[in-house]
Amino acid sequence: MLRKRGSVIFCGTFLFVTWNAILVLLLWGRPPSSQTEEPGGGGEKVVVRPTNDAVGAVLRMADAFEAELERQKKILVDIQYHQSLWDPSNKDRPKAVFPSQPVIPILVIACNRVTVRRCLDKLLEHRPSAELYPIIVSQDCGHADTAEVIKSYGNKVTHLKQPDLSDIPVQPGHKKFQGYYKISRHYRWALNQVFKTLSHSSVVIVEDDLEVAPDFFEYFRALLPLLQSDPSLWCVSAWNDNGRDGYVDPGKANLLYRTDFFPGLGWMIRKELWEELEPKWPASFWDDWMRQPDQRRNRACIRPEISRTLTFGRQGVSLGQFYDKYLRYIKLNTEFVPFTKIDLSYLKEEIYRENFKKEVYSAPVVTYEDVKQGQLKGQGPYRLQYSTKDSFKVMAKNLGIMDDLKSGVPRAGYRGVVSFISRGRRIYLAPPPGWTQYDTTWS
């Protein structure tokens, strides 16, 4: 029945177009009304040719008919395309989606890893809508095998190629960091494509070695309004730096935090932030640059208790730094959390800060030995206090959480506090009460 109906529509379209074409030809060949016949001296009738003005009028009329013909053809094509939407026999079939919600593109930063397939497969598996979440793969390096992998996805993804593959002049001591310079150049180019060329208002950036969780898209969709409305936020990240199995609460997949540390590894920003950062974008080490006070400007990111991304790329310009000790053990969320149906107003700065301070500093103080030896009684939470850079680093390292600081900010920290699970109990590794600011010499 559907095939027959489609044939009828096609035949109707063909006849309609043909008739209009014939009409145009007839009008083209018909003498305009401005032509007249006058008797000649020998009794013959002499045809008076049209003036240039008359010829121009005919040509303009033909152009108008041609334009109308094209418009009618487009209307018929649109009718044929959307016929399934109003055909009663198709009421149970998937309908075309016309976005009424903000479009959030996913920008995949790729280079020379053919394993980008794993990243793209998971994105496509969990993506709820191609219209709302277009996938843009920006490839640097010019690696042919990786390009072929990306090309194999056809129109499921948009494949961009960074055009400048030249080496970047660097000072002699930085020659070994050439890869970091190229990455920074690529990020700048790719983000300009998303925001300036394609005119998107927000973007989620993932690297080609990340696998995403089932609620990855739901997570960012729910948090976009908060990012838009709260000027004290500048990004949303899918990553918990201390999110290893055993260091997070498996029953709190819906738990979210504010953090002063820029996490990266699956993160969302808005166009307005890029317009602020792009003019001063660094030549290299862009992620550490993002963690400096001049860029952060006391703004926070949102991060989850349980990561919504997992990195599987040990090899890269960082030569596996932190991978074997920390990153390979990050727990990827497997439970779908309907974040768009949850009230997330508790993450607003004025609400979150007071509640967080109250919970942390009302928790009983315990010693490092109590935590390390598992001698805590009760459910917690507990507070473990540090007062110097060295005391923080010693306790963090020995308790198994990341001990490095960037401009004085600990990974996953908020107001100097790092939250994690130790032997099934919530621990807040925290500075003394009355904390006011980070010491940028702690790096």
Side-chain angles (χ1 to χ4, degrees), residues 211-274:
E211 178 180 326
V212 303
D215 58 355
F216 174 86
F217 295 93
E218 173 81 359
Y219 173 75
F220 285 108
R221 170 68 55 187
L223 287 164
L224 179 58
L226 187 64
L227 185 62
Q228 293 170 326
S229 63
D230 189 343
S232 70
L233 292 174
W234 70 323
C235 84
V236 176
S237 174
W239 183 258
N240 176 4
D241 277 294
N242 293 311
R244 291 190 294 159
D245 202 4
Y247 288 78
V248 294
D249 187 339
K252 294 290 182 67
N254 63 338
L255 181 58
L256 306 178
Y257 297 83
R258 295 175 72 101
T259 177
D260 299 321
F261 191 89
F262 171 73
L265 294 174
W267 48 289
M268 177 169 63
I269 60 170
R270 299 175 61 222
K271 182 178 183 179
E272 288 78 3
L273 179 65
W274 181 241

Side-chain angles (χ1 to χ4, degrees), residues 70-201:
E70 289 301 319
R71 191 179 74 84
Q72 295 295 335
K73 282 166 60 179
K74 184 178 184 305
I75 291 172
L76 283 172
V77 170
D78 288 342
I79 290 173
Q80 184 178 14
Y81 176 76
H82 295 298
Q83 186 238 6
S84 62
L85 296 180
W86 42 261
D87 188 338
S89 65
N90 287 343
K91 65 181 189 315
D92 296 325
R93 297 193 178 195
K95 302 298 188 292
V97 176
F98 300 94
S100 58
Q101 305 178 57
V103 172
I104 306 176
I106 311 299
L107 174 63
V108 180
I109 300 292
C111 180
N112 58 0
R113 293 187 179 111
V114 294
T115 50
V116 67
R117 184 180 297 280
R118 176 174 171 183
C119 172
L120 294 176
D121 284 348
K122 284 298 180 181
L123 283 170
L124 291 169
E125 176 185 341
H126 297 312
R127 180 173 68 168
S129 165
E131 289 78 11
L132 293 177
Y133 306 97
I135 296 174
I136 304 165
V137 186
S138 180
Q139 186 191 358
D140 200 1
C141 308
H143 190 250
D145 290 344
T146 302
E148 282 300 312
V149 170
I150 299 168
K151 183 180 177 182
S152 70
Y153 287 88
N155 61 8
K156 293 179 182 177
V157 306
T158 298
H159 186 190
L160 306 179
K161 295 182 180 180
Q162 202 280 110
D164 186 359
L165 304 181
S166 63
D167 282 343
I168 300 172
V170 299
Q171 53 186 305
H174 275 211
K175 285 185 178 180
K176 62 181 178 180
F177 300 128
Q178 178 73 214
Y180 289 100
Y181 281 81
K182 290 186 175 183
I183 288 173
S184 190
R185 177 176 66 186
H186 184 198
Y187 264 85
R188 184 177 199 159
W189 182 86
L191 286 168
N192 274 334
Q193 296 305 302
V194 169
F195 288 126
K196 295 184 177 181
T197 304
L198 300 176
S199 301
H200 288 293
S201 59

Side-chain angles (χ1 to χ4, degrees), residues 37-69:
E37 292 182 350
E38 298 180 357
E44 319 177 60
K45 292 187 177 179
V46 179
V47 177
V48 179
R49 297 294 177 186
T51 65
N52 288 338
D53 288 344
V55 172
V58 171
L59 291 175
R60 285 192 294 272
M61 184 169 61
D63 288 341
F65 271 105
E66 187 176 2
E68 178 64 16
L69 176 61

